Amino acid sequence: MSARKIIIDTDPGQDDAVAILLALASPQEIDLLGITCVAGNVPVSRTQINARIICELAGQRQVKVFAGRAAPLRRPLVTAEYVHGKTGLNGPELFEPTMPLQSQSGVEFIIETLRAEPAGSVTLCPLGPLSNIAEAFQSAPDIIERVQEVVLMGGAYFEVGNITPAAEFNIFVDPEAADIVLKSGAPITMMPLDVTHKALTTRPRIEALRALDTPVGHFTAEMLDFFERFDIEKYGSEGGPLHDPCVIAYLIRPDLFSGRHINVEIETQSELTLGMTVADWWGVTDRPANALFMGDLDADGFFDLITQRLALL
């Protein structure tokens, strides 16, 4: 099997950073064509710096990093420094990256790459709001049928919301973008809170990363020390949910996950439930299935994979 060509679209974020590291540590399965950054957890002026920091930490300065949209399609930006800290990567001591930011926009890179690569050979991996993906699909609808798959972190059903009572953060920040992507007809796999909330950074799991005794291991453990404090306080859980690495882990080990192919619609009108992912888990409507919506994972296998791969960096 040849490595799967992917574009990571991201708003790092500590959990985004772990997802990027997992991809960079898995060249046999993952061919990372580039990283496009978007505003989300922190503004895009910071997310593009964070993406480059992670690439340099991993010794992968050759990765192309692009800045994408600075705002949602139609709404003012909502960020999450209260979770991730002012930098988005609070926890470890950060540094200024020296690898270049590409001059091309992230949206242009997505369009150009999908047109240049063989049809059905590139997977899009959005880890933040779907603003870049939606703009690319609207600007160049010819690329939609060329996408192999969109594997995204976003949404919730049984776990309801983490930014409002009804909505998950990534979808809430740009619900119109999510609506465009879910209605695009591209093959979609979703990692909602229903599955990511089972991927908890317990103390033994963080200490296993620290015990790697490498720069990557220490940096990751320090990020997660900071990241988990918010969710432990909020949910009373034994660790913070490691959302975004579920996307990359699925590409490497799909057997770790289980879900259903169902219809998912995005609420874009209601003040009360804006950004809700209305997932027809029980098949009570006749709306056609448009997403593989994950519901469970092997958490021990997931963290074993992350620890084993990060040890290679």
Side-chain angles (χ1 to χ4, degrees):
M1 288 287 290
S2 58
R4 186 162 178 168
K5 296 176 182 179
I6 73 167
I7 296 171
I8 291 179
D9 186 72
T10 181
D11 61 337
Q14 291 91 348
D15 56 326
D16 305 70
V18 178
I20 293 168
L21 290 170
L22 180 58
L24 293 173
S26 306
Q28 289 187 310
E29 295 92 356
I30 302 294
D31 178 6
L32 180 57
L33 302 179
I35 297 174
T36 55
C37 299
V38 69
N41 289 323
V42 288
V44 74
S45 58
R46 186 69 220 181
T47 62
Q48 56 89 358
I49 292 172
N50 292 349
R52 290 184 289 143
I53 287 173
I54 296 306
C55 292
E56 288 193 13
L57 173 70
Q60 308 259 355
R61 294 174 53 86
Q62 80 287 355
V63 177
K64 293 180 178 179
V65 177
F66 304 81
R69 288 187 61 93
L73 299 186
R74 301 179 195 169
R75 298 177 185 272
L77 177 63
V78 175
T79 56
E81 287 89 349
Y82 60 93
V83 178
H84 300 274
K86 188 174 181 180
T87 68
L89 294 182
N90 277 32
E93 186 173 338
L94 301 180
F95 56 88
E96 282 297 315
T98 58
M99 63 183 278
L101 179 69
Q102 302 297 310
S103 59
Q104 187 180 31
S105 82
V107 174
E108 288 172 352
F109 172 73
I110 291 168
I111 294 169
E112 181 181 281
T113 303
L114 283 165
R115 284 175 172 167
E117 295 288 340
S121 70
V122 176
T123 294
L124 301 178
C125 298
L127 310 179
L130 288 157
S131 315
N132 285 342
I133 310 299
E135 183 183 330
F137 282 6
Q138 282 195 311
S139 300
D142 59 287
I143 67 174
I144 295 172
E145 63 181 15
R146 301 183 67 84
V147 174
Q148 180 178 2
E149 188 177 6
V150 179
V151 184
L152 67 92
M153 189 277 131
Y157 184 59
F158 295 101
E159 287 286 312
V160 292
N162 64 354
I163 179 73
T164 73
E168 179 274 330
F169 177 82
N170 285 344
I171 306 298
F172 176 81
V173 169
D174 200 341
E176 284 79 16
D179 186 51
I180 289 165
V181 173
L182 265 292
K183 288 177 177 173
S184 69
I188 294 172
T189 295
M190 296 181 69
M191 297 291 166
L193 300 183
D194 303 279
V195 66
T196 68
H197 276 184
K198 296 170 183 174
L200 295 178
T201 58
T202 61
R203 185 47 44 186
R205 288 166 177 165
I206 293 178
E207 293 308 321
L209 290 162
R210 203 183 323 270
L212 296 176
D213 201 23
T214 62
V216 167
H218 286 294
F219 191 98
T220 303
E222 289 165 11
M223 282 196 301
L224 298 183
D225 286 340
F226 180 90
F227 178 61
E228 72 170 3
R229 92 213 181 287
F230 175 81
D231 287 292
I232 289 174
E233 185 176 325
K234 178 179 177 181
Y235 295 110
S237 56
E238 56 179 333
L242 205 54
H243 308 285
D244 295 330
C246 289
V247 168
I248 306 301
Y250 172 73
L251 298 180
I252 300 168
R253 288 279 311 278
D255 59 295
L256 294 173
F257 298 84
S258 60
R260 294 184 184 180
H261 198 227
I262 62 171
N263 178 268
V264 181
E265 304 283 337
I266 309 296
E267 177 55 59
T268 61
Q269 303 299 319
S270 167
E271 289 184 20
L272 190 65
T273 58
L274 180 69
M276 183 177 183
T277 46
V278 182
D280 188 11
W281 185 261
W282 302 114
V284 295
T285 75
D286 58 2
R287 296 194 289 264
N290 60 348
L292 177 57
F293 197 84
M294 291 300 174
D296 203 1
L297 89 162
D298 172 357
D300 287 336
F302 171 77
F303 279 96
D304 286 347
L305 174 66
I306 290 172
T307 305
Q308 290 161 8
R309 292 301 171 90
L310 266 56
L312 303 175
L313 293 174

